Amino acid sequence: MTTYADVVASTLKDAGIEYIFGVPGSLSSVELIEAASKQGIRYILCSNESSAAVMAGVYGVMRNRPGVVSTGVGPGAAAALHGAVQLMLERAPALFLTDRFTDADYLRLPRQRIDQPALFGPTTKGTFTLSTIDTALTLQRAIDLSLEGRQGPVHVDLPYDVMLAEAPEADMPRQASRERFVGSLGPDSPGLQALADAIESASRPAVVVGFQVNRHGGGAESAFINFAEKLGVPVFNSMAAKGTMPENHPLAAGTFRGVPSERALLDHADLLVMIGLDPIEIFNSNWQYKVPVVTLDEVPVTEGPYRPAVEVVADIEQGLRALTNAVTPHAGWNREDLDAYRQQRETALNPEGAGLLPGAVIRITRERLSDNGVLTVDAGQHKVVTTDLWESRLPRGFHTSSGLGSMAIALPAALGAKLVEPDAPVVCFTGDGGLLMRVGDLETAVRENLPIVVVVFNDRKLNMIKLQQLRRGYDPKGTSFAETDFAQVAKGFGFESIRVDTEAALDAALEHALASGHPWLIDAQVNPDGYT
């Protein structure tokens, strides 16, 4: 018998879905796991629902299709809420498939009864409840919504009686070729001409690229590189777009975070060209730049600290190709200014001080990780330093929590990245606090045979909060952890592991870990004074 669970699984298969990440409940999840397995879709059991969401989000960003999260009813759905907010603010496409009671049980039994659409409504792009009417079409609408405009999560409730019901053959989805159209931009477009004129009239434009470029795919990434190289001006990647312009490229100026240190270079610019930049990627509401801003994106700018002088809303790949043909090389920048700016940032990679300093951890890891490697980074002071100093050479090769700024996403993000790119080395930077929140994900890595390398910045502190306390003249309180031997903890899960407190020991451990083909954890005893 074909059930509506089979319809759901077949629709997911047609969308290219390979994995479902979740913590199953006892209702619709059971039917979903079985139906998905018939379609060759693997159900990845995760340590918790929030980790499942992070893994699904990284899958969605790297594959440019929605990651799928599965939870049980009630507490399972509620536990996934942090993950939904994470993916909403990271603009990661995903489906949250939640178990739901049958209608009769929902009305009769108050236990575990939560209005799940109301729960997910404010934290997703939309919410649907499946029925036996237009089941495949409803799920396809949810998939499409997750990918439209600013990508993000969509919630779908799966009533148990619907998933069990027999589905007529006519209700099974049919594969169909689908074309995507976002406002065309021809060579005679007045928007294109206005944008090109603004760029041409500037002597020293600077470019900032956001994640909407790599969310559009490889064609847009290639078109952006061609545009930037023809223009020949400094290019900043947003945090979530690191690697779109490989940061070892001569034009790469590092990460754009809207912080005062960037003014050493950007004070010389007379125009900022924002390509695919979502305002959620801007970190400082106190906008420092007095020069005009022009934008090319697929979504209008409706919020944020700046208003574009020229705004073009169009297909990014097509728009970049047309714009490249309409602009000429710019020679207004002094090459020495760009080189001096990059050198200023790189000095922090060779810090002076006692012990193992954070900048050295970043430098040594970058030297050991191949160009096709992926790095994931948790929130914390080590993230601030890594974002500034890490040289990302691969589009979609750097993952962190940018829009939400959430702790404890790096470990599940690394697992998701390794599933998508099994042949690429994947390194996770996490703090001691972040690892304590996600330690159960170490078991997932071993069970799923995902040979990631976890580097713990272990300073026994919530160091970012401690620094804020000190800056405000307070004694640090509520920010210290007990001594924990994370290497021994990891061994208990089946990881290979080691504690290190010198640069030489870290370098040797990374060399061995990256070559081993096994999950590894390196407990790096860093000197927190290196953050100041």
Side-chain angles (χ1 to χ4, degrees), residues 436 458 460 481-487 489 499 523 525:
L436 286 168
N458 188 355
R460 296 157 296 284
F481 295 113
E483 174 72 26
T484 301
D485 189 336
F486 289 110
V489 171
R499 286 192 122 185
D523 187 350
Q525 306 291 293

Side-chain angles (χ1 to χ4, degrees), residues 158-179:
L158 306 179
Y160 189 38
D161 48 351
V162 172
M163 294 289 278
L164 288 172
E166 183 175 3
E169 185 64 26
D171 284 353
M172 290 296 286
R174 296 287 181 267
Q175 285 188 335
S177 59
R178 303 177 66 249
E179 294 183 278

Side-chain angles (χ1 to χ4, degrees), residues 128-146:
F128 299 82
T129 299
L130 290 192
S131 71
T132 57
I133 300 172
D134 293 334
T135 306
L137 180 60
T138 300
L139 190 58
Q140 187 60 56
R141 285 174 178 162
I143 292 169
D144 292 344
L145 179 59
S146 74

Side-chain angles (χ1 to χ4, degrees), residues 36-52:
S37 69
K38 296 175 185 176
Q39 298 291 336
I41 301 173
R42 285 191 58 208
Y43 195 103
I44 304 293
L45 173 62
C46 301
S47 66
N48 60 75
E49 292 82 356
S50 183
S51 288

Side-chain angles (χ1 to χ4, degrees), residues 463 465-476 532:
N463 207 63
I465 310 303
K466 184 197 79 172
L467 289 175
Q468 289 296 330
Q469 291 171 326
L470 292 173
R471 286 166 186 156
R472 298 177 194 180
Y474 304 145
D475 292 332
T532 58

Side-chain angles (χ1 to χ4, degrees), residues 487-526:
Q488 290 299 320
V489 171
K491 286 177 181 175
F493 283 103
F495 267 62
E496 297 185 40
S497 60
I498 191 173
R499 286 192 122 185
V500 300
D501 58 8
T502 67
E503 292 186 20
L506 173 65
D507 188 43
L510 278 167
E511 180 182 21
H512 184 69
L514 288 166
S516 71
H518 299 291
W520 258 85
L521 184 140
I522 300 171
D523 187 350
Q525 306 291 293
V526 298

